Amino acid sequence: MEFKDYYQVLGVGKTATADDIKKAYRKLARKYHPDVSKEADAMARMAEINEANAVLSDPEKREAYDALGRQAPHRPGQDFRPPPNWDAGFEFSDGAGAAGGPDGEFSDFFEQLFGRHARAQRAHRATGQHRQAPPDAEWGGAPPPSRGSDHHAKIELNLLDAYQGAERSLTLRGARLDDAGRMVHEERSLQVKIPKGVREGQLIRLTGQGSPGTGGAPAGDLFLEVQFKPDPRWRAIDRDVYQPVAVAPWEAELGAVIEVQTPAGALEVTVPAHWKSARKLRLKGRGIPAATPGDLYLELTVALPPAHSDAERAAYTAMARAFPRFNPRATPGA
Amino acid sequence: MTPAHNTPTVQPGELLDDTALFSLEDLARICHVAPGWVSERLEAGLLQADSLGGHWRFASATVVRARRLAQLETTFDADPQLAALTADLIEEVAHLRQRLQHLEATTGRGARPG
């Protein structure tokens, strides 16, 4: 297990006041907040900052952490094991998960010192003083039943996945209980079946893929929040899909039947005669599939053919002669 | 502890659509807050819910918003209304960024420098 220097994480000294810690935490939280940060490692940094704050902003945990540092001085990143009963004499209030961040995802270091299992062990040690714990129950035997915490992650999909469904491989940093009943972190791969009909911002639940429960209680769930990869071909708003489609000037004005490659497959579409700018064609029920499917909107734009040859230039000249009163700038802003 | 790589198992994802509604207690548990926290935000109009059979039911989109509100309030000791305003702005910025990306992709123009 790697030793974590929470003071270094927050960039404060060991004599920092509670106010100093709060200020440092908020400053870093603004910088690395996953909703606004452009840093590549924002999520990981935010988790680290939350964890450091969860310990240093809690007077009881901070005192115990400082005492641990004095008992077993270590440098950040160095392999570390807490001395037996390192926390004797300290009593932590509950709520480490809530204080450290809604996801309740902490490092091994935190889990071993302040996590749910550590609390269960402390509680059991305290009870054991009164009721003769068995000799092999160093870690407190069976901890009290507690459902595992839910985990949250984001998953990036293509819009086509919403139409067809998909299977994705995820690498997750999860936790499990080892033979001694300790919470250990590990990386694991998961093949996830994405059902069709998924929308941006929607949640996919993977039952039992969160943190393990204790004392026979069920594991938490993993919630995946769906995001679509940007795609120049189309975009989705809720269940409706918008797709730009270029048409030739003669198709736009005279009308035509054109074939369009859409996320719903190749479709034949009738372009009505007489062009109107910002024209959209609605294909009902061709948006993201669902019991009430969304609509597909084709956003028509006119593409002008470039005039390279004499014949092509002559065609434009003939068009200009055919429309002597046409003024494309007659409409303000056009 | 050395990280271990397990053999991937296929896990069916359950799509939480508009019919998969969460109870107030479910939402509170997922967001790591007390049920009272949810009730207060509901009464203040910061979270949306439907009433079914006398019980509040929350759509999955509300879970994302509620988690964001809880994070903002906890991290910055923020007033709930201020956290909700920030969440609204985050959602709006995300929407506008998506539109901008789409426009840049379709027109072939990048964002202006500066």
Side-chain angles (χ1 to χ4, degrees), chain A residues 26 102-103 150 187 191, chain B residues 4 11 29 32 67 77 98:
Chain A
R26 288 182 181 176
D103 285 356
D150 297 323
E187 280 198 350
Q191 283 293 116
Chain B
Q11 174 80 15
R29 177 177 52 75
H32 295 258
R67 289 188 68 238
D77 286 341
Q98 187 192 37

Side-chain angles (χ1 to χ4, degrees), chain B residues 6 17 29 43 47 62 64 72 79 89 91 102 104 108 110 114:
Chain B
N6 293 344
D17 60 13
R29 177 177 52 75
E43 285 165 18
L47 293 174
T62 306
V64 177
L72 288 167
D79 173 83
L89 293 174
E91 287 163 17
H102 183 75
E104 285 175 359

Side-chain angles (χ1 to χ4, degrees), chain B residues 80-92:
Chain B
Q81 294 284 354
L82 188 59
L85 173 64
T86 309
D88 289 343
L89 293 174
I90 288 172
E91 287 163 17
E92 182 67 9

Side-chain angles (χ1 to χ4, degrees), chain B residues 58-76:
Chain B
F58 298 85
S60 69
T62 306
V63 174
V64 177
R65 179 174 171 82
R67 289 188 68 238
R68 184 170 281 144
L69 291 184
Q71 277 177 333
L72 288 167
E73 288 184 27
T74 306
T75 304
F76 299 105

Side-chain angles (χ1 to χ4, degrees), chain A residues 27-325:
Chain A
K27 190 176 173 186
L28 290 168
R30 271 189 63 207
K31 184 176 178 186
Y32 291 105
H33 196 285
D35 285 320
V36 292
S37 178
K38 290 177 180 165
E39 306 282 339
D41 61 346
M43 293 273 279
R45 286 301 305 273
M46 194 66 208
E48 200 176 38
I49 293 160
N50 277 332
E51 183 175 311
N53 183 61
V55 174
L56 298 187
S57 66
D58 181 321
E60 295 159 332
K61 289 194 186 75
R62 184 180 177 185
E63 199 179 332
Y65 175 74
D66 288 345
L68 175 67
R70 288 191 295 272
Q71 280 180 54
H74 274 72
R75 285 192 298 278
Q78 199 173 358
D79 191 48
F80 173 80
R81 285 274 161 209
N85 296 329
W86 69 276
D87 54 346
F90 293 102
E91 187 179 339
F92 310 134
S93 53
D94 201 357
D103 285 356
E105 291 164 5
F106 297 104
S107 67
D108 283 346
F109 181 76
F110 183 96
E111 286 291 352
Q112 292 285 347
L113 302 184
F114 306 107
R116 283 186 309 142
H117 236 64
R119 289 202 300 279
Q121 288 148 13
R122 271 194 294 278
H124 193 92
R125 277 206 303 269
T127 323
Q129 291 168 0
H130 303 290
R131 59 176 178 87
Q132 291 291 312
D136 60 346
E138 187 206 340
W139 290 99
S146 169
R147 185 186 184 278
S149 58
D150 297 323
H151 287 201
H152 296 260
K154 289 186 177 174
I155 184 170
E156 210 175 37
L157 301 174
N158 295 311
L159 183 59
L160 286 176
D161 297 332
Y163 278 80
Q164 297 160 1
E167 205 167 290
R168 285 282 181 279
S169 179
L170 300 178
T171 302
L172 300 168
R173 189 168 183 275
R176 65 174 177 84
L177 301 180
D178 68 9
D179 293 341
R182 284 172 296 200
M183 188 85 75
V184 292
H185 285 94
E186 64 178 14
E187 280 198 350
R188 63 198 166 105
S189 295
L190 199 62
Q191 283 293 116
V192 183
K193 270 192 181 169
I194 309 291
K196 72 176 184 180
V198 68
R199 285 175 291 152
E200 186 146 47
Q202 203 165 13
L203 293 182
I204 296 172
R205 176 163 53 196
L206 301 174
T207 305
Q209 296 296 328
S211 287
T214 56
D221 299 334
L222 169 63
F223 291 91
L224 299 175
E225 185 188 339
V226 173
Q227 290 186 328
F228 287 138
K229 287 179 191 167
D231 192 319
R233 294 173 296 174
W234 36 60
R235 72 180 193 281
I237 297 177
D238 199 26
R239 286 200 182 93
D240 294 333
V241 175
Y242 294 80
Q243 175 177 353
V245 175
V247 293
W250 47 90
E251 292 172 332
E253 187 54 31
L254 304 179
V257 175
I258 60 172
E259 187 180 284
V260 184
Q261 293 295 328
T262 74
L267 299 176
E268 282 204 338
V269 180
T270 301
V271 178
H274 308 304
W275 171 252
K276 287 178 187 166
S277 64
R279 171 170 268 176
K280 287 191 186 80
L281 300 181
R282 183 173 78 141
L283 306 183
K284 196 169 167 53
R286 297 289 192 166
I288 293 179
T292 308
D295 298 332
L296 173 62
Y297 290 88
L298 303 182
E299 301 170 315
L300 301 186
T301 57
V302 175
L304 294 178
H308 297 303
S309 67
D310 289 345
E312 288 161 351
R313 278 191 288 274
Y316 274 105
T317 306
M319 195 155 85
R321 276 201 295 270
F323 298 95
R325 284 187 293 278

